[in-house]
Amino acid sequence: MYHLTALVTLLAILFFFFTCMNVSRSRGKTGIKVPAMSGHPDFERAFRIQMNTLEWMPIFLPSLWLFAVYISDAVAAGIGAIWIIGRIVYFIGYSQAAAKRGPGFAIQGIAAIAL
């Protein structure tokens, strides 16, 4: 059984859902109407956070599960948790300014490479 990896998978999906909700909130706050994808820097940063997270999910999730199956559930879950922490740091930094996204990106990138 891979309970820990399943938990980390659920947390990653919940974080992605949170980024989706943040884009919706940002649309309302900035007045960007659907289907527009640009127009206010705060909205554009929120959207890029969501899309970058989505772009990394096909790298992260299969790697997480392959690591769990062939090496260790607990270690995969630990590295996966670090990936999520990196995404949170990325979210916080990028929400403030594009130039502040680097540390979070590095954390999650290193975790993905480890997987």
Side-chain angles (χ1 to χ4, degrees):
M1 301 299 284
Y2 302 99
H3 298 296
L4 296 174
T5 301
L7 177 61
V8 168
T9 300
L10 178 60
L11 291 174
I13 292 168
L14 287 173
F15 178 74
F16 178 70
F17 182 74
F18 169 77
T19 67
C20 295
M21 297 305 294
N22 186 59
V23 169
S24 178
R25 183 189 60 79
S26 183
R27 276 189 185 281
K29 184 178 174 183
T30 60
I32 305 296
K33 304 292 182 205
V34 173
M37 302 308 287
S38 63
H40 192 283
D42 290 344
F43 168 75
E44 291 176 9
R45 285 193 308 273
F47 181 71
R48 279 309 310 149
I49 292 165
Q50 177 199 13
M51 287 295 98
N52 189 264
T53 302
L54 179 62
E55 291 160 1
W56 274 88
M57 294 293 265
I59 297 167
F60 169 67
L61 290 174
S63 300
L64 174 73
W65 279 95
L66 288 169
F67 193 104
V69 168
Y70 290 105
I71 298 175
S72 167
D73 176 46
V75 176
I79 297 170
I82 292 168
W83 185 87
I84 294 169
I85 290 166
R87 294 310 307 177
I88 293 168
V89 172
Y90 179 85
F91 174 88
I92 292 167
Y94 206 168
S95 293
Q96 295 170 357
K100 294 183 178 183
R101 71 188 190 279
F105 188 85
I107 293 167
Q108 67 91 41
I110 292 168
I113 290 168
L115 290 171

